């Protein structure tokens, strides 16, 4: 009964007719042997459909009325005595509508996938349309793409240095994770977690050839190498995903610190065994800038910004200030006149100690290579930086080089 009801809802069965006495006539089988044209002296065509309908539907006997004659005239009037019966055959649905709907859905899905997969393919990597990273080049280099968002650009409509540094940090952590070495810490391997060890950066060198703009897609490669007896070097190469143009090169040195004592530690052999298989035997992507960083104080600095304090959001899972935040604090004392007309070209940082959430810091900047009063018209400007605690203890020392912006990248405040 259930099957019969379901079938009748899609393929309605013929309704019974009443005889003159009010009784229901039984349905009888109809013999449709074909379509036989009947000649007519008036030139009209008479069509006599004779087809054999199935005798059973879902196991139930079904019979249809006797032969039905339909005469079609030139003016398309139906001259039959009764309408054609609603049979299983002539009530089949129009499957073309369903096929058209399915085809439309598949074409729309294919179009969306082609839009996601529109990035240029390279022979040495599996394409990843969703921007997730991949291990490439014999499993030693990690590659990840980033879209430049509207909230990642600065006043000159290009990505800020903090955005670039965040991309570098993100690929470094994802590299450790994709290699299966991520323990319960922030970039720490399982053996490091057992020994309460974490990575801390001691030196960072960055050269920016060109800043991406809103809507650009950048491709970031990163890899690690040995650095001395107890350190590790990590390099990055940032390119424009569409053109392959090199945008940024960066190199850094990392050492281990005990998470409990907050003191530097030697590299344990167990940890060395975990990370050495991923070391790349190559020179640093940047030649080391061995020039000594100038020591600053309030007397030698041209600009000073005091009272800087970490916010809760500035701390990472290891309970110390995120490395990128230090860069922002250093630039707090950089002259606005210089940043309006210049872009950061290169940066060298030396991290001396960490600061906690209750620390109060002071940012100092000294300009060299030009007069402070002519920063807006100067060509290339070099600055010395110092970030220190209130008691004078050095946190980060740095050197930055700034080059003039092209007219197209200078923000027009009148627009």
């Amino acid at each position: 009964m259930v099957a019969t009801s379901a079938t009748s809802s899609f393929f309605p069965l013929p309704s019974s007719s009443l005889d003159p006495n009010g009784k229901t006539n039984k349905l009888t089988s109809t013999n449709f042997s074909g379509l036989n044209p009947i000649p007519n002296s008036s030139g009209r065509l008479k069509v006599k459909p004779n087809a054999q309908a199935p005798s059973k539907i879902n196991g139930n006997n079904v019979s249809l009325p006797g032969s039905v004659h339909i005469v079609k005239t030139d003016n398309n009037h139906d001259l039959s005595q009764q309408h054609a019966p609603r049979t299983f055959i002539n009530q089949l649905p129009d499957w073309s509508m369903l096929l058209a709907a399915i085809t439309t859905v598949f074409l729309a899905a294919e179009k969306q996938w082609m839009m996601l997969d529109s990035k240029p393919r390279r022979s040495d990597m599996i394409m990843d349309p969703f921007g997730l990273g991949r291990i490439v080049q014999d499993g030693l280099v990690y590659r990840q793409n980033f879209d430049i968002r509207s909230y990642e650009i600065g006043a000159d409509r290009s990505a800020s240095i903090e955005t670039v540094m965040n991309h570098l940090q993100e690929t470094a952590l994802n590299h450790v994770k994709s290699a299966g070495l991520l323990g319960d810490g922030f970039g720490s391997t399982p053996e490091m977690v057992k020994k309460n060890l974490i990575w801390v950066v001691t030196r960072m060198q960055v050269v920016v050839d060109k800043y991406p703009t809103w809507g650009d897609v950048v491709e970031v490669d990163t890899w690690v190498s040995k650095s001395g007896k107890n350190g590790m070097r990590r390099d990055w190469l940032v390119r424009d995903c569409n053109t392959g143009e090199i945008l940024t090169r960066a190199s850094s040195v990392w050492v281990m610190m005990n998470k409990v004592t907050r003191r530097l530690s030697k590299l344990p052999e167990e940890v060395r065994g975990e990370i050495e298989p991923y070391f790349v035997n190559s020179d640093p992507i940047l030649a080391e800038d061995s020039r000594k960083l100038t020591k600053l104080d309030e007397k030698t600095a041209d600009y000073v910004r005091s009272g800087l304090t970490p916010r809760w959001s500035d701390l990472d899972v290891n309970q110390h200030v995120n490395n990128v935040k230090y860069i922002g604090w250093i630039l707090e004392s950089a002259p606005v006149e210089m940043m309006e007309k210049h872009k950061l070209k290169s940066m060298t940082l030396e991290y001396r100690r960490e600061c906690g959430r209750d620390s109060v810091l002071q940012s100092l900047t000294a300009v060299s290579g030009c007069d402070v009063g002519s920063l807006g018209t100067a060509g290339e400007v070099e600055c010395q930086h110092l970030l220190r605690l209130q008691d004078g203890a050095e946190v980060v020392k740095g050197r930055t080089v700034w080059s003039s912006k092209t007219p197209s990248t200078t923000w027009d405040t009148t627009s």
Side-chain angles (χ1 to χ4, degrees):
M1 290 300 292
V2 175
T4 304
S5 300
T7 304
S8 63
S9 64
F10 287 94
F11 313 112
L13 297 177
S15 59
S16 61
S17 61
L18 296 177
D19 65 9
N21 297 328
K23 296 183 180 180
T24 304
N25 291 333
K26 292 184 179 179
L27 299 174
T28 58
S29 174
T30 301
N31 182 23
F32 291 85
S33 59
L35 295 176
N36 300 321
I38 301 176
N40 194 317
S41 60
S42 62
R44 299 171 180 173
L45 180 65
K46 296 181 180 180
V47 181
K48 181 179 180 181
N50 293 307
Q52 180 64 44
S55 61
K56 289 186 179 183
I57 298 178
N58 291 337
N60 297 325
N61 293 322
V62 176
S63 59
L64 302 174
S67 67
V68 177
H69 297 276
I70 300 177
V71 180
K72 199 76 172 181
T73 63
D74 291 341
N75 54 3
N76 295 327
H77 290 295
D78 188 358
L79 303 180
S80 63
Q81 298 297 322
Q82 65 182 42
H83 294 288
R86 300 172 66 187
T87 66
F88 173 82
I89 295 176
N90 62 24
Q91 292 298 311
L92 284 174
D94 187 359
W95 294 106
S96 63
M97 297 292 291
L98 180 59
L99 291 175
I102 294 175
T103 302
T104 302
V105 172
F106 273 99
L107 288 176
E110 182 182 16
K111 182 178 179 180
Q112 291 296 323
W113 181 259
M114 290 176 65
M115 291 175 63
L116 290 173
D117 200 26
S118 61
K119 300 171 186 176
R121 295 183 179 273
R122 296 178 182 275
S123 59
D124 60 342
M125 79 174 285
I126 301 175
M127 201 60 225
D128 178 27
F130 298 103
L132 304 179
R134 287 288 186 271
I135 295 290
V136 297
Q137 296 184 13
D138 299 328
L140 299 178
V141 176
Y142 181 80
R143 177 173 296 165
Q144 186 170 354
N145 294 344
F146 295 93
D147 294 326
I148 304 301
R149 312 293 184 179
S150 60
Y151 52 82
E152 294 177 323
I153 62 175
D156 59 355
R157 306 183 187 184
S158 61
S160 62
I161 186 62
E162 288 89 347
T163 296
V164 175
M165 300 303 293
N166 279 325
H167 290 166
L168 303 187
Q169 181 171 268
E170 182 69 11
T171 52
L173 292 173
N174 289 338
H175 184 195
V176 178
K177 181 179 180 180
S178 63
L181 295 177
L182 189 64
D184 194 27
F186 197 50
S188 300
T189 67
E191 287 296 329
M192 290 174 64
V193 173
K194 293 178 183 179
K195 301 179 183 300
N196 289 321
L197 297 175
I198 59 175
W199 288 111
V200 292
V201 60
T202 60
R203 185 177 177 87
M204 175 76 71
Q205 190 174 343
V206 182
V207 173
V208 181
D209 298 316
K210 181 181 178 181
Y211 287 90
T213 59
W214 178 26
D216 288 348
V217 180
V218 297
E219 180 183 80
V220 184
D221 285 1
T222 185
W223 59 94
V224 292
S225 305
K226 182 179 179 181
S227 178
K229 293 182 179 180
N230 297 303
M232 177 184 72
R233 189 185 79 243
R234 177 174 288 278
D235 292 339
W236 293 271
L237 178 63
V238 183
R239 289 174 290 207
D240 186 295
C241 190
N242 294 322
T243 65
E245 180 184 5
I246 295 178
L247 305 178
T248 303
R249 294 161 291 157
S251 185
S252 60
V253 177
W254 299 72
V255 295
M256 291 193 173
M257 183 177 75
N258 188 289
K259 189 177 180 180
V260 177
T261 64
R262 316 306 288 187
R263 293 184 177 181
L264 298 183
S265 171
K266 292 183 178 181
L267 182 64
E269 290 301 322
E270 296 84 354
V271 177
R272 190 187 304 275
E274 287 179 316
I275 63 177
E276 274 194 347
Y278 299 93
F279 283 173
V280 176
N281 186 18
S282 65
D283 296 328
I285 195 170
L286 290 174
E288 183 179 354
D289 185 355
S290 58
R291 291 178 296 168
K292 187 176 181 179
L293 296 175
T294 305
K295 185 175 181 178
L296 294 180
D297 55 30
E298 292 181 345
K299 294 181 180 180
T300 57
D302 297 311
Y303 301 89
V304 178
R305 179 71 182 273
S306 302
L308 302 174
T309 58
R311 297 174 299 178
W312 177 256
S313 59
D314 296 330
L315 305 178
D316 59 26
V317 297
N318 290 324
Q319 294 300 308
H320 68 202
V321 175
N322 188 286
N323 299 325
V324 179
K325 184 61 183 178
Y326 291 122
I327 300 173
W329 281 335
I330 284 176
L331 299 182
E332 282 288 335
S333 60
V336 177
E337 299 87 350
M338 179 186 69
M339 292 191 292
E340 285 180 342
K341 302 296 183 180
H342 296 73
K343 61 180 180 180
L344 182 59
K345 179 180 179 181
S346 65
M347 174 175 59
T348 301
L349 302 176
E350 290 183 358
Y351 293 84
R352 299 302 179 91
R353 58 171 47 82
E354 63 175 347
C355 64
R357 61 182 180 182
D358 298 325
S359 302
V360 180
L361 300 103
Q362 187 179 55
S363 177
L364 300 91
T365 296
V367 178
S368 59
C370 72
D371 184 48
V372 173
S374 60
L375 288 174
T377 58
E380 188 171 273
V381 181
E382 182 176 293
C383 295
Q384 306 293 327
H385 304 275
L386 174 63
L387 186 67
R388 66 182 185 181
L389 298 176
Q390 230 176 6
D391 60 5
E394 295 180 348
V395 177
V396 179
K397 295 176 66 176
R399 178 190 301 110
T400 58
V401 177
W402 303 74
S403 61
S404 298
K405 294 179 181 178
T406 59
S408 60
T409 62
T410 302
W411 177 264
D412 185 2
T413 56
T414 61
S415 60

